[in-house]
Amino acid sequence: MARRRRKRSVDWLISLIDTQLETFGTNRGKFSLREKVLALCKVYENVKDLGVNVLYEHGWDAGAAVERIRLYLVEYAGTVLDGVEIAVVSGISDYPRRIRELRVEAGYQIASGASPDPESGIDLKPDQYLLVDAEPDLDAARRWHVANRIRRSGVGSQKRVLQYLMESLGKVVTTEELAYVAKDAKQYARRVRELRTEHGYSVATRFTGRPDLNVGQYVLQSKERVAEPHDRKIPEPIQRAVYERDSNTCRVCGWKHERWTADDPRILELHHLEHHEDHGPNVQGNLIVICSKCHDEVHSGKHAASLKRIKRSL
Ligand SMILES: [Zn+2]
Ligand SMILES: [Zn+2]
């Protein structure tokens, strides 16, 4: 149990620490190792009090460590923070537990370098944190409940990740939720990638057709529609480059996700101009972004003239 940090004057703490360090510097020649460490413990506790009292001085009247962490994360939403900063503002060393509370109970999307995922934009070092959005997601508590049920379902991690995405069809899920469902902070990103590249599921990120999403967010866009086997193995960097070049817009009809409606639920896909089956390569110059409606039409022989024009323009 962490000791409650006392409210004290910052100036007073600074002079106290100064005096303690000076005494330590003068006398340490006479100290045993243990005595040195014990003297530093006193300094260390006062430095921790100083961190918390700097927040009080800043006008944040937060008595609980979890509230200090919350205020600091919200103040610096969108900025990558080191774990040691969270330790300083909270005054506790068990801050990862408080961060979990903020995620699970309050619904904040706090990504962590403990479960990195560069493909979704979460490229953090192990002890780094990022509050993706200053506003908590009020649906998150329900999703964590679902995640908890699936995590314990007894099937393999690949199946659990798919199940979670299926139950959240069309909705945003976060890297932290997927890592939890997969019970593996290092491999879950690979499981998601396999669902795309081996099973052909349309799991979009902000880099692949859904610029409305934030970093660390995924959406399964359809339960039924999966890519043709020959379209599944396009390397991630090439996919990203094609979506970026085509501004996440169907090259044939100009459809983009903003226009999505339940009556016309399209998704964006990639199409090989020279068909992959006929040895068309997985390179940018042979790939375009296309909506699922135009894609079906193209494969039944329509839009030949548009495709010729597009090909010439690449
Ligand atoms: Zn289209
Ligand atoms: Zn195609």
Side-chain angles (χ1 to χ4, degrees), residues 147-165:
N148 197 35
R149 167 167 53 76
I150 295 174
R151 179 183 157 98
R152 296 199 242 151
S153 67
V155 298
S157 69
Q158 172 79 258
K159 282 211 168 105
R160 291 198 302 274
V161 168
L162 179 59
Q163 180 70 20
Y164 188 62
L165 288 164

Side-chain angles (χ1 to χ4, degrees), residues 231 270-272 295 299:
D231 281 341
L270 296 181
H271 170 67
H272 289 87
H295 204 174
H299 282 273

Side-chain angles (χ1 to χ4, degrees), residues 250-255 266 268 290-295 303:
C250 174
R251 288 293 292 243
V252 176
C253 73
W255 189 90
R266 302 185 206 184
L268 290 177
I290 194 164
C291 75
S292 44
K293 180 165 178 282
C294 293
H295 204 174
H303 302 300

Side-chain angles (χ1 to χ4, degrees), residues 196-214:
R196 286 205 198 110
T197 58
E198 287 169 24
H199 304 273
Y201 284 105
S202 175
V203 188
T205 67
R206 65 177 304 169
F207 306 113
T208 51
R210 289 291 302 270
D212 57 307
L213 298 178
N214 221 322

Side-chain angles (χ1 to χ4, degrees), residues 54-157:
V54 161
L55 296 197
Y56 289 133
E57 192 183 58
H58 187 66
W60 292 356
D61 195 17
V66 67
E67 180 61 6
R68 290 194 290 271
I69 296 173
R70 191 189 73 80
L71 287 169
Y72 193 72
L73 286 169
V74 167
E75 179 80 12
Y76 295 103
T79 304
V80 174
L81 304 174
D82 287 320
V84 67
E85 291 177 63
I86 312 289
V88 166
V89 296
S90 66
I92 60 174
S93 44
D94 191 19
Y95 57 86
R97 197 169 118 207
R98 301 288 175 253
I99 285 178
R100 274 197 297 280
E101 279 174 29
L102 287 170
R103 261 189 212 126
V104 175
E105 288 161 29
Y108 286 99
Q109 187 193 343
I110 305 164
S112 138
S115 27
D117 181 11
E119 280 183 19
S120 73
I122 299 302
D123 203 356
L124 306 176
K125 297 198 185 83
D127 193 28
Q128 288 184 327
Y129 296 89
L130 172 67
L131 175 62
V132 171
D133 191 327
E135 290 299 318
D137 175 354
L138 300 175
D139 185 45
R142 185 197 60 80
R143 288 207 308 273
W144 281 105
H145 186 76
V146 173
N148 197 35
R149 167 167 53 76
I150 295 174
R151 179 183 157 98
R152 296 199 242 151
S153 67
V155 298
S157 69

